[in-house]
Amino acid sequence: MASWQRGSPQDLNAHLPRILLLLALLVTSAEGIAFSLKECVVLQSAEGSTVSCHRATEFPSPLPADTIHLSVEFSNLTQLPYSALRACPRLRELHLSSNRLQALSPGLLAPVPRLRVLDLTGNALRGLPPGLFRASAALRTLVLRDNRLQAVSARWLWGLRALDHLDLAGNRLRTLRPGLLTGLRALSTLDLGYNLLETLPPGLLRGPRRLQRLHLEGNRLRRLGDGLLAPQPFLRVLFLSDNRLATVAAGAFRGLRQLDMLDLSNNSLSSTPPGLWASLGRPARDMQDGFDVSHNPWVCDEDLRDLCRWLHANRHKMFSQNDTLCAGPEALSGRRLLDVAELGSL
């Protein structure tokens, strides 16, 4: 055991400056140096300064003029000064998660036109001011997860020409308007999971040129119609688990020939219409990341033949095989769908 570990408190105090120096060295990069800014740590490098503040009592000021990465998290901030970012025009990432922000000023982001990432996870936002992103043509990632949004307006999103990732999960959204994504041509990931959505307008996904990931899990959706996914033939990942889906239209997946992951688990599906699975998986191609249709009340009768044939052909990509069971009829209740499909019992 080292002497400072078994010594008196006075011995520890004598070594304290050395300990603090070692801690400082741990956060110093090969090309930068760390120092303090009132409840924050600043790491300077040739590229610019990174400022990290946790549990700060107020927004840090003054910020280094070369700040490129700013994190003020777990700090219980309820508002930001209008001019909070004026001193750091080179800012590329802004992380404000786990505060108590209730509103943002319309001009907050105007001084930082190079901003690429804005993370507002876990605040108390009920809306965003129109014009907030007027100068945010470079923004690629916008995270509004776990706030109190009850609606989203297309006006909020004006100016986000380069946006690639939009996360609206964990809010209180009940409805969405057609045309919401019209201006988001570059969007590839949309997360609407764990809201209160019961229906989705057919024109919701018009706008993005190449959407690849769509999260709709954890809502209250009862039906998936023909037109929703049609504008996005390059979709690769689709999460629909933990909804109340009882009906999926025969053409819902038509044209999705690039789909590599589908999760329909934990819904209320008892059957699917003929032709639904024709464009997915084999014989055309493997779904690279697999699929899950478990924890649905499947009725294993002649109406399920199409699905059973498809399961048999794609069983090597099927998740939760032991939890994908027949709920009826009584003679087959509790049997695995895969076993029924392979035995040709229907």
Side-chain angles (χ1 to χ4, degrees):
M1 184 180 292
S3 60
W4 65 268
Q5 288 179 298
R6 62 172 181 265
S8 66
Q10 290 79 8
D11 293 332
L12 181 58
N13 288 338
H15 289 280
L16 192 57
R18 184 179 178 186
I19 295 169
L20 293 175
L21 176 60
L22 290 172
L23 289 173
L25 289 172
L26 286 174
V27 295
T28 300
S29 70
E31 53 182 24
I33 185 167
F35 65 90
S36 295
L37 170 68
K38 194 179 180 184
E39 304 174 308
C40 304
V41 173
V42 180
L43 177 62
Q44 291 182 314
S45 71
E47 193 175 4
S49 295
T50 295
V51 181
S52 299
C53 315
H54 290 262
R55 306 194 186 280
T57 55
E58 59 185 21
F59 194 81
S61 180
L63 289 166
D66 67 343
T67 300
I68 56 172
H69 187 292
L70 173 60
S71 297
V72 187
E73 301 175 300
F74 303 98
S75 298
N76 293 326
L77 299 178
T78 58
Q79 59 183 356
L80 300 177
Y82 178 84
S83 59
L85 305 176
R86 223 171 249 174
C88 46
R90 294 175 53 193
L91 192 67
R92 295 201 300 244
E93 292 197 25
L94 177 58
H95 298 265
L96 296 167
S97 67
S98 303
N99 285 288
R100 296 181 182 178
L101 296 172
Q102 299 175 13
L104 302 175
S105 61
L108 176 68
L109 303 179
V112 288
R114 302 183 193 182
L115 193 68
R116 297 178 188 172
V117 176
L118 176 59
D119 183 1
L120 290 158
T121 300
N123 280 282
L125 296 170
R126 297 179 184 274
L128 297 178
L132 176 65
F133 301 113
R134 188 175 292 121
S136 299
L139 195 70
R140 294 180 56 84
T141 300
L142 174 59
V143 184
L144 289 161
R145 171 182 290 265
D146 297 333
N147 275 275
R148 300 178 184 177
L149 302 177
Q150 296 184 17
V152 181
S153 169
R155 296 177 62 201
W156 299 355
L157 306 175
W158 285 351
L160 296 176
R161 295 191 296 273
L163 195 70
D164 174 77
H165 184 115
L166 176 59
D167 189 344
L168 294 164
N171 280 282
R172 302 173 183 179
L173 302 176
R174 293 182 179 274
T175 59
L176 297 170
R177 293 185 178 183
L180 176 65
L181 309 176
T182 300
L184 306 182
R185 305 288 287 170
L187 195 68
S188 69
T189 297
L190 175 62
D191 195 337
L192 293 166
Y194 299 98
N195 278 285
L196 305 173
L197 298 168
E198 296 183 4
T199 61
L200 298 170
L204 174 65
L205 300 181
R206 290 180 191 146
R209 289 172 297 191
R210 204 178 180 92
L211 193 68
Q212 300 209 359
R213 295 181 64 93
L214 178 59
H215 292 258
L216 292 167
E217 68 271 22
N219 281 284
R220 300 177 179 181
L221 300 174
R222 298 179 182 276
R223 184 178 187 277
L224 187 65
D226 276 326
L228 177 70
L229 304 173
Q232 299 301 332
F234 299 106
L235 196 67
R236 291 189 58 255
V237 177
L238 177 59
F239 288 97
L240 285 160
S241 59
D242 299 294
N243 276 280
R244 301 174 184 178
L245 288 172
T247 304
V248 179
F253 302 143
R254 188 178 296 130
L256 297 185
R257 301 190 183 279
Q258 305 297 318
L259 200 68
D260 281 328
M261 170 67 194
L262 173 64
D263 191 350
L264 278 167
S265 62
N266 291 296
N267 277 287
S268 300
L269 295 168
S270 59
S271 66
T272 60
L276 174 66
W277 308 97
S279 63
L280 304 183
R282 291 188 176 182
R285 61 185 288 274
D286 270 338
M287 294 180 70
Q288 297 298 321
D289 300 317
F291 65 93
D292 193 341
V293 294
S294 65
H295 297 288
N296 280 283
W298 298 112
V299 176
C300 296
D301 57 17
E302 61 275 7
D303 291 336
L304 215 62
R305 284 177 182 166
D306 192 55
L307 172 59
C308 284
R309 281 195 292 266
W310 188 82
L311 290 180
H312 181 68
N314 292 277
R315 60 192 179 279
H316 60 297
K317 291 294 182 179
M318 182 178 177
F319 294 118
S320 306
Q321 296 183 6
N322 293 333
D323 295 313
T324 308
L325 308 174
C326 299
E330 187 175 350
L332 294 175
S333 182
R335 294 280 299 275
R336 298 195 319 162
L337 252 71
L338 202 56
D339 292 339
V340 172
E342 291 177 345
L343 292 172
S345 302
L346 300 183

